[in-house]
Amino acid sequence: RPDRLAALCRAMTAVFFPVTWTLSRLRFVRYVNRFFPVCATHDRALTVGQQYAWTLLDTFDWYSPRYEIAQDHETVAALLAEAGLTGIDSAEGIARARRP
């Protein structure tokens, strides 16, 4: 149920976010974050609070869909460009377009 999943995601994020945030600052070691049960995305352009919220929401999204078709960030960047958006950049786990 979504309410139980949300509670589980909040608990896991509270436990694992500080660890993944710390590891994300260490070159080469940051790749260990893939093995934690949360979807830890640490974009340095975001505040720590935003990173926490993003991790929580992505973790919920990660566990909640019945069917999911994961997309490569390069594929998503190409789709954004095809849609006419500009200022596109992408990296592992993220693809975005800047506001005009």
Side-chain angles (χ1 to χ4, degrees):
R1 294 180 17 195
D3 57 330
R4 289 184 183 174
L5 178 60
L8 176 64
C9 290
R10 281 193 295 275
M12 288 192 310
T13 301
V15 170
F16 292 111
F17 179 82
V19 177
T20 62
W21 185 86
T22 301
L23 292 176
S24 74
R25 299 302 187 247
L26 304 172
R27 192 173 182 198
F28 301 116
V29 178
R30 69 182 67 150
Y31 298 105
V32 172
N33 281 346
R34 298 173 189 215
F35 301 104
F36 286 96
V38 293
C39 186
T41 304
H42 299 290
D43 183 348
R44 291 183 185 208
L46 302 173
T47 67
V48 175
Q50 290 170 325
Q51 290 177 40
Y52 186 91
W54 199 338
T55 298
L56 174 60
L57 294 171
D58 279 351
T59 300
F60 181 83
D61 184 55
W62 202 11
Y63 287 111
S64 64
R66 206 174 263 194
Y67 306 101
E68 184 172 320
I69 301 172
Q71 299 294 317
D72 178 271
H73 68 92
E74 293 167 343
T75 303
V76 175
L79 290 169
L80 293 172
E82 191 176 299
L85 298 172
T86 59
I88 299 166
D89 61 344
S90 71
E92 193 66 37
I94 187 168
R96 63 181 166 208
R98 292 188 198 96
R99 292 182 182 171

